[in-house]
Amino acid sequence: MIERTTRGTAMSSKKSVPGPSKSELRHEQTNTIAREIIAQETRARDEKTARLRAARLARDAAERAQSQDVPAKTRTPAKKKTAKA
């Protein structure tokens, strides 16, 4: 049998988990801020789209109502050309 010794390796009973490094913390902070900005822009774009869609539908409905009130123009028949003698 081979004997294994733990000489030279100091093992403590306390397990320390290293925290995120300084650059990881900055990365996480930047990432969080960027996601918040993107979410705000998306919300603003969605609100604008909904507002414009409602305005377009209202305009289209008004145009349809107006076109039903005005009778359609009738075409006058084209004049027949007579051959010159």
Side-chain angles (χ1 to χ4, degrees), residues 45-80:
R45 185 180 64 240
D46 291 344
E47 289 171 0
K48 181 180 178 182
T49 301
R51 181 175 44 86
L52 291 174
R53 179 177 292 133
R56 185 183 72 243
L57 292 174
R59 183 196 66 211
D60 291 347
E63 286 177 358
R64 269 188 257 116
Q66 187 180 28
S67 67
Q68 289 174 354
D69 292 342
V70 177
K73 290 184 179 180
T74 57
R75 290 184 75 187
T76 56
K79 293 183 181 178
K80 292 185 180 179

Side-chain angles (χ1 to χ4, degrees), residues 4-85:
R4 295 186 180 187
T5 59
T6 58
R7 210 182 322 162
T9 58
M11 298 189 90
S12 67
S13 62
K14 197 181 205 184
K15 292 184 180 180
S16 64
V17 177
S21 68
K22 198 173 189 180
S23 64
E24 289 173 334
L25 289 174
R26 269 188 257 137
H27 170 73
E28 185 63 34
Q29 183 181 18
T30 303
N31 191 22
T32 302
I33 292 170
R35 288 183 187 275
E36 288 174 2
I37 291 170
I38 291 169
Q40 289 173 354
E41 290 173 350
T42 302
R43 252 191 319 275
R45 185 180 64 240
D46 291 344
E47 289 171 0
K48 181 180 178 182
T49 301
R51 181 175 44 86
L52 291 174
R53 179 177 292 133
R56 185 183 72 243
L57 292 174
R59 183 196 66 211
D60 291 347
E63 286 177 358
R64 269 188 257 116
Q66 187 180 28
S67 67
Q68 289 174 354
D69 292 342
V70 177
K73 290 184 179 180
T74 57
R75 290 184 75 187
T76 56
K79 293 183 181 178
K80 292 185 180 179
K81 292 185 180 181
T82 56
K84 288 186 182 180

